[in-house]
Amino acid sequence: MNIDALIIGGGVIGLACAAESAQRGYATLLVERHESFGQEASSRNSEVIHSGVYYPYGSLKAKLCVAANNHLYKECKKMDVWYKRCGKLIVAVTENEVTELENLYRRGRTNGVEEIELIDQGKVKKIEPHISCRAAIFLPSTGIIDSHELMKAYVHKAKAHGVDIAFQVEYLGVEPKADRYVVCLKEVRGETAKFTTRFVINAAGLFSDRVAASFGIDIDAAGYRLHPNRGHYYAISPSKSRLVSRLVYPLPHRHLVGAGIHITLDRAGQCRLGPDAEYIDATTPEANWYMFDDTRREQFYSAVVQYFPTLEREDLSPGLVGVRAKLKGSNENVRDFIINEESDKGLPGLVNLIGIESPGLTCSAEIAREVFHKLEIYK
Ligand SMILES: Cc1cc2nc3c(=O)[nH]c(=O)nc-3n(C[C@H](O)[C@H](O)[C@H](O)COP(=O)(O)OP(=O)(O)OC[C@H]3O[C@@H](n4cnc5c(N)ncnc54)[C@H](O)[C@@H]3O)c2cc1C
């Protein structure tokens, strides 16, 4: 069978691409190996609409995030997706951290974040009486979103324009043929099928490096190898959850391994702490990636009690685990999203999306637009 575009992966990025592809009139098939969409990173994250403060100036993460923050609220309104523009504080807990906080503030301004303010502890006390710190960055445009509703809206948009979404179908491999690709797919029952397509969009999340390798790309030479990195969340008791109304973050980790153990809120007003950041050993089987390890409770408590002093150890209960698709290995410098159309590797029409970690949820629609912008050369 012939199609225009095959999308591998039914997380938020693949689904956003499907919606974009359909609107551009391409005959599109999306394949997802699980029985439903968004079973991996897209449903195991903080659900924060980021503003774009953290990322290096000029990076895709910075540019797309600043643009996405402007667009996503409007798109959510149009698509009837739940969100709350609740705002966020990044806190300096000690006097020593204030200089770092000021540097981060300057980076935010340079990146083009318009709504950003440095505030003193008096103002923090006024808006968040239970948060204790020396100073803070206040980001009114940061918010939270129901990620499941966002994905449902992309599915709806894609299907309304004729996209086929096939669950329990796994991408196995490819034979490049002239200006097309013959892709091999396997259904859960074991049956295989071949499709011929002009474009392949690799949105396979934690497995996108393996999909790239299946096209004959040397993923080490290309810098595409992923280093899965796990983050745990603890839920906080409802009585303490009521004491916080904005997201509260400490200063980020060095080299941005993670944003630091922060307080996020969900749609029901329940607070969560997390995620921490831990590289997964390459020998750990995938089935064990999401097992919750409760030995970190003390580490979470002591990180957060510094800026949320009414928190008690007993307020914490184990929550979910998410795994980041990180390009950066431990002790390496921060890496940007990879959104590459691979003509220069002799693979025209293949777009690899690799290392789409945070702020990937925020940027999903921007990333999809970027993908199809790159494919416009084939019009
Ligand atoms: C702990 C954590 C916290 C985060 N917090 C935030 C946040 O607050 N805000 C934000 O903007 N972003 C956040 N992110 C990032 C965001 O969650 C990701 O960028 C986004 O979900 C990535 O989506 P994806 O579609 O690329 O990947 P995924 O959701 O992982 O989807 C990839 C899909 O590909 C499928 N797949 C893989 N291989 C194959 C194959 N061979 N055949 C068929 N299907 C295949 C998988 O089954 C999977 O469903 C966070 C991420 C994590 C892990």
Side-chain angles (χ1 to χ4, degrees), residues 8-15 31-34 36-50 151 169-172 203-208 211 229-231 233 249 262 264 275-276 321-325 337 353 356-363:
I8 304 167
V12 72
I13 302 297
L15 296 171
V31 291
E32 165 54 52
R33 63 188 181 139
H34 293 303
S36 183
F37 59 83
Q39 303 286 296
E40 299 191 0
S42 300
S43 57
R44 295 169 168 274
N45 60 65
S46 304
E47 299 190 294
V48 172
I49 300 180
H50 286 292
M151 288 189 277
V169 174
E170 189 176 0
Y171 160 83
L172 288 186
L206 288 156
F207 302 91
S208 53
V211 169
N229 181 287
R230 171 165 44 203
Y233 290 90
Y249 283 56
H262 47 263
T264 53
D276 59 350
V321 175
V323 180
R324 306 173 177 90
F337 291 150
L353 294 158
I356 311 297
E357 52 173 330
S358 193
L361 176 70
T362 307
C363 297

Side-chain angles (χ1 to χ4, degrees), residues 86-235:
C86 55
K88 156 174 164 177
L89 293 173
I90 305 175
V91 296
V93 176
T94 63
E95 205 54 49
N96 287 344
E97 287 182 348
V98 172
T99 312
E100 214 182 310
L101 189 81
E102 288 167 353
N103 290 340
L104 192 59
Y105 168 79
R106 278 191 284 276
R107 175 179 288 184
R109 296 213 62 120
T110 314
N111 283 352
V113 178
E114 282 170 9
E115 293 181 61
I116 179 167
E117 201 185 330
L118 257 182
I119 59 175
D120 60 18
Q121 52 184 331
K123 174 125 191 231
V124 173
K125 273 276 166 265
K126 249 189 211 155
I127 61 174
E128 286 294 344
H130 296 275
I131 297 299
S132 164
C133 63
R134 296 280 167 186
I137 294 171
F138 178 37
L139 294 156
S141 68
T142 301
I144 48 176
I145 183 168
D146 183 326
S147 55
H148 188 77
E149 278 195 0
L150 178 66
M151 288 189 277
K152 252 172 67 182
Y154 288 146
V155 168
H156 183 74
K157 222 181 199 182
K159 283 192 167 168
H161 288 87
V163 173
D164 270 331
I165 299 186
F167 293 116
Q168 296 190 303
V169 174
E170 189 176 0
Y171 160 83
L172 288 186
V174 66
E175 302 156 23
K177 265 212 180 125
D179 62 343
R180 310 241 143 197
Y181 296 98
V182 181
V183 289
C184 185
L185 308 174
K186 189 178 104 189
E187 275 188 85
V188 71
R189 290 186 300 271
E191 283 164 39
T192 58
K194 285 191 173 174
F195 279 79
T196 303
T197 179
R198 267 172 84 197
F199 306 134
V200 178
I201 295 153
N202 169 12
L206 288 156
F207 302 91
S208 53
D209 55 347
R210 296 187 203 177
V211 169
S214 76
F215 281 77
I217 294 175
D218 176 340
I219 58 170
D220 289 308
Y224 287 2
R225 187 173 293 279
L226 288 170
H227 306 277
N229 181 287
R230 171 165 44 203
H232 295 72
Y233 290 90
Y234 279 89

